[in-house]
Amino acid sequence: DAGVTQSPTHLIKTRGQHVTLRCSPISGHKSVSWYQQVLGQGPQFIFQYYEKEERGRGNFPDRFSARQFPNYSSELNVNALLLGDSALYLCASSLLAGNQPQHFGDGTRLSIL
Amino acid sequence: QKEVEQDPGPLSVPEGAIVSLNCTYSNSAFQYFMWYRQYSRKGPELLMYTYSSGNKEDGRFTAQVDKSSKYISLFIRDSQPSDSATYLCAMTSGSSGNTPLVFGKGTRLSVIA
């Protein structure tokens, strides 16, 4: 079975631009979460979606937004990119929300010039 | 004080050694504890998933949770060069709804042949 898939794998943008990252969860998983991982740090929670509804938001500015589609795939959007947004963006899926183990994709590496 | 503390290492051991990795945490609401392994340029891979206090063994890996001390450990027996990676501890309260994982910084492990 396919794991969590993310696209694109790498992206280079300039300050002020907008970016959309995509995630397809493991088949049958209904919850998707997004994390940001800066070099040398653990992942930081951005959003969790379950059944197309936002279930949680981390301490990130409103420039960050996300949505989940009827097929449970998800998009993360970041507006007005800053140099500090350079990071690995990880998507994780789980069967349900709640105390379910989360499985991660390999992420999208975003570089801001 | 960060919610989850993890010594970033690096930790270097000879092949065959027993490796001990540890995290401490401050939030007594955490009930679900995970260890992830992350290879360079890859997403975190779930190794162990445990609930509350106690031990769990899976092959060469043993996870221990001591909620009274707010301390979790991962032991790797007969370590192999292929175990060289960054090990991330993660935890969550697991309540229904918003259940973000809170990660440590990760410990970088090198197993030398």
Side-chain angles (χ1 to χ4, degrees), chain B:
Chain B
Q1 182 190 11
K2 291 199 125 198
E3 269 194 299
V4 180
E5 300 276 3
Q6 184 176 10
D7 186 338
L11 180 62
S12 185
V13 301
E15 184 177 357
I18 296 174
V19 176
S20 173
L21 304 167
N22 311 293
C23 288
T24 59
Y25 63 95
S26 57
N27 188 345
S28 57
F30 289 146
Q31 296 189 81
Y32 297 87
F33 304 90
M34 285 132 274
W35 286 94
Y36 286 86
R37 176 175 63 194
Q38 187 173 24
Y39 292 115
S40 180
R41 301 191 175 279
K42 291 289 191 179
E45 172 194 3
L46 182 64
L47 284 177
M48 301 291 280
Y49 179 81
T50 55
Y51 169 69
S52 195
S53 287
N55 294 357
K56 183 175 182 178
E57 188 174 318
D58 185 0
R60 297 184 296 113
F61 298 92
T62 300
Q64 286 186 352
V65 176
D66 182 349
K67 288 191 71 181
S68 62
S69 300
K70 296 190 180 70
Y71 186 88
I72 70 170
S73 301
L74 177 71
F75 297 95
I76 307 174
R77 290 181 299 281
D78 187 26
S79 56
Q80 302 295 310
S82 58
D83 295 328
S84 298
T86 296
Y87 289 80
L88 296 156
C89 64
M91 47 201 79
T92 180
S93 64
S95 57
S96 61
N98 181 15
T99 54
L101 297 181
V102 182
F103 283 86
K105 272 188 166 183
T107 299
R108 191 170 174 182
L109 172 67
S110 293
V111 181
I112 311 300

Side-chain angles (χ1 to χ4, degrees), chain A residues 31 48 50 55-56 97-99, chain B residues 94-100:
Chain A
S31 180
Q48 183 181 37
Y50 176 65
R55 287 299 189 97
N99 58 1
Chain B
S95 57
S96 61
N98 181 15
T99 54

